[in-house]
Amino acid sequence: MHTTATEERTALVEAVRDFATTALAPYAGAWDAEKHFPVDTLRQAGDLGLGGIYASEDVGGSALSRMDAVAIFEELAKGDTTIAAYISIHNMVVWMIDTFGDAAQRARWLPRLTRMEDLGSYCLTEPGAGSDAAAITTAARREGDEYVIDGVKQFISGAGSSAVYVVMARTGMPGSKGISAIVVPAGTPGLSFGPNEKKMGWNAQPTRQVVFDGVRVPVSHRLSAEGDGFTIAMRGLNGGRVNMGAVSLGGAQWTLDRAVAYVQERETFGLPLSANQSVVFTLAEMETQLQAARALLQRAAEKMDDGAADAPAACALAKRFATDAAFQVANEALQLHGGYGYLHDYGIERVVRDLRVHQILEGTNEMMKLIVGRALLAGTR
């Protein structure tokens, strides 16, 4: 892992920006309206190395830093917030297999995942276990050289389209120490999916229940040791939180850029909206919020790259601030557009809808405050 030099990162960001501008942005509205999951476009993203952003090069990964990832996800989100968010989730799956898988597991699954020829889904949340992840009940019972998995996972992005599912299942005692991470390939007998959920946003990626009914997989599909699953899940979520904050930032920046242009073009009472001091103040506040979010995300990413002990708290802090600030900025951009902001063709309302869920997933923002507050009290910030 390395931090890319300034010139390299600039070229990298420009390449991602070009992809977002040409392959995502022109179609984002239609994908949202039609609830279309653009698998072919995701394969194009894989060709750019976006399927394994911080995965090892020996399995086709790009081996970039978390600082690089923040810049990448911000640019992707300017094209389509929903697809950028899915690419983040896919990268979490790749990172888990790359980091905790053995040589055979990495060789089996990662080359196709990093190219996004195969897609990945992460299965943690359950109908009765959201924020309390240690309370999951999906069980993996060992029978000889196999695990038999029974249970239901909820709100799973990419479900039904993915080829690989990293599943957190209970293999032992109650609580966090009884959870293991197991890879379940698509097509395994007993694996099925609920209907595509009807959602407020994120319409361009499928969200379904994943149902395990006597699903049998070899014990060799388990990542790391039995009981390590909760640790794997929490470490994965640190990166996911920073990525999702960066996706929020990119979406909100897109709406702010459009608001700046709109208030200079739109006239009321014979003057452009930008002549109104309250509008100028609103834009200044929006810019301030996004600049602060970007700095906090970069700080958290740097701590992850450095392996800092306080990285989890920094990731939680950055995620909470960035997702809250981004939703507020996008909502203000809608308000500045007046009635036009409420129209689908302008794209603002789509981003507002997409960003709202970022305050809930990868750990609700209330849980982020809990993590930050506990770290502060423990003196580990």
Side-chain angles (χ1 to χ4, degrees):
M1 190 71 69
H2 65 280
T3 301
T4 306
T6 302
E7 315 83 62
E8 293 179 274
R9 180 177 290 129
T10 299
L12 174 69
V13 168
E14 287 177 353
V16 175
R17 182 181 298 130
D18 182 65
F19 172 76
T21 301
T22 59
L24 299 181
Y27 313 104
W31 292 341
D32 172 73
E34 298 165 9
K35 296 180 171 57
H36 173 69
F37 190 40
V39 173
D40 290 344
T41 303
L42 288 171
R43 291 189 175 123
Q44 294 177 39
D47 291 340
L48 287 177
L50 300 180
I53 294 171
Y54 28 79
S56 305
E57 291 178 317
D58 67 313
V59 288
S62 298
L64 298 173
S65 70
R66 296 290 179 159
M67 283 283 283
D68 294 327
V70 166
I72 287 169
F73 282 110
E74 179 178 351
E75 291 302 323
L76 284 173
K78 293 175 184 177
D80 190 323
T81 44
T82 301
I83 300 307
Y86 174 74
I87 292 174
S88 168
I89 294 164
H90 174 88
N91 271 272
M92 184 191 297
V93 170
V94 170
W95 175 84
M96 287 178 173
I97 297 174
D98 187 38
T99 304
F100 298 99
D102 59 29
Q105 291 167 337
R106 294 174 69 253
R108 176 177 179 179
W109 289 304
L110 289 179
R112 289 184 61 84
L113 285 169
T114 55
R115 294 193 299 269
M116 297 193 88
E117 293 175 2
D118 286 344
L119 302 179
S121 288
Y122 173 56
C123 303
L124 174 63
T125 301
E126 297 182 0
S131 295
D132 187 6
I136 64 170
T137 59
T138 294
R141 182 181 73 259
R142 185 158 180 173
E143 291 188 0
D145 292 333
E146 293 183 319
Y147 284 117
V148 183
I149 308 174
D150 291 284
V152 178
K153 295 296 183 178
Q154 185 76 32
F155 306 131
I156 306 305
S157 292
S161 298
S162 291
V164 174
Y165 298 82
V166 173
V167 182
M168 299 299 161
R170 189 162 300 285
T171 54
M173 67 184 79
S176 61
K177 295 182 179 179
I179 297 170
S180 297
I182 302 170
V183 179
V184 178
T188 303
L191 178 66
S192 63
F193 309 97
N196 194 5
E197 301 284 4
K198 297 177 181 178
K199 309 186 293 291
M200 175 180 174
W202 271 27
N203 288 321
Q205 58 164 286
T207 303
R208 295 183 171 93
Q209 283 190 335
V210 179
V211 181
F212 303 88
D213 184 7
V215 171
R216 289 180 175 269
V217 295
V219 171
S220 61
H221 284 205
R222 187 191 68 228
L223 300 176
S224 191
E226 198 164 90
D228 285 352
F230 188 79
T231 298
I232 293 172
M234 294 303 104
R235 285 188 59 188
L237 285 173
N238 288 334
R241 287 163 182 165
V242 173
N243 290 352
M244 211 56 68
V247 171
S248 294
L249 173 62
Q253 185 67 61
W254 183 87
T255 67
L256 174 56
D257 293 344
R258 271 138 194 81
V260 169
Y262 182 79
V263 299
Q264 294 178 85
E265 298 165 358
R266 176 70 169 174
E267 290 192 358
T268 57
F269 306 104
L271 292 172
L273 282 173
S274 57
N276 188 317
Q277 190 178 64
S278 68
V279 170
V280 176
F281 284 2
T282 297
L283 293 173
E285 179 62 22
M286 294 161 75
E287 173 71 3
T288 301
Q289 290 291 305
L290 294 189
Q291 290 278 8
R294 188 174 291 108
L296 288 172
L297 289 166
Q298 290 171 347
R299 169 181 175 268
E302 185 175 24
K303 286 181 178 290
M304 289 192 70
D305 286 332
D306 292 343
D310 60 345
C315 293
L317 187 154
K319 187 266 184 183
R320 199 287 301 170
F321 184 89
T323 56
D324 281 351
F327 179 75
Q328 181 182 349
V329 166
N331 199 41
E332 289 283 10
L334 192 155
Q335 188 73 16
L336 287 171
H337 277 77
Y340 292 104
Y342 206 64
L343 299 181
H344 184 267
D345 286 350
Y346 280 71
I348 307 295
E349 59 84 31
R350 170 178 53 82
V351 175
V352 172
R353 288 186 289 106
D354 284 349
L355 295 192
R356 182 60 183 86
V357 75
H358 297 184
Q359 296 168 292
I360 299 171
L361 51 76
E362 311 287 37
T364 65
N365 282 4
E366 290 76 14
M367 290 301 296
M368 299 304 97
K369 292 178 183 178
L370 189 63
I371 292 169
V372 173
R374 283 177 173 173
L376 183 63
L377 291 170
T380 56
R381 64 178 173 86

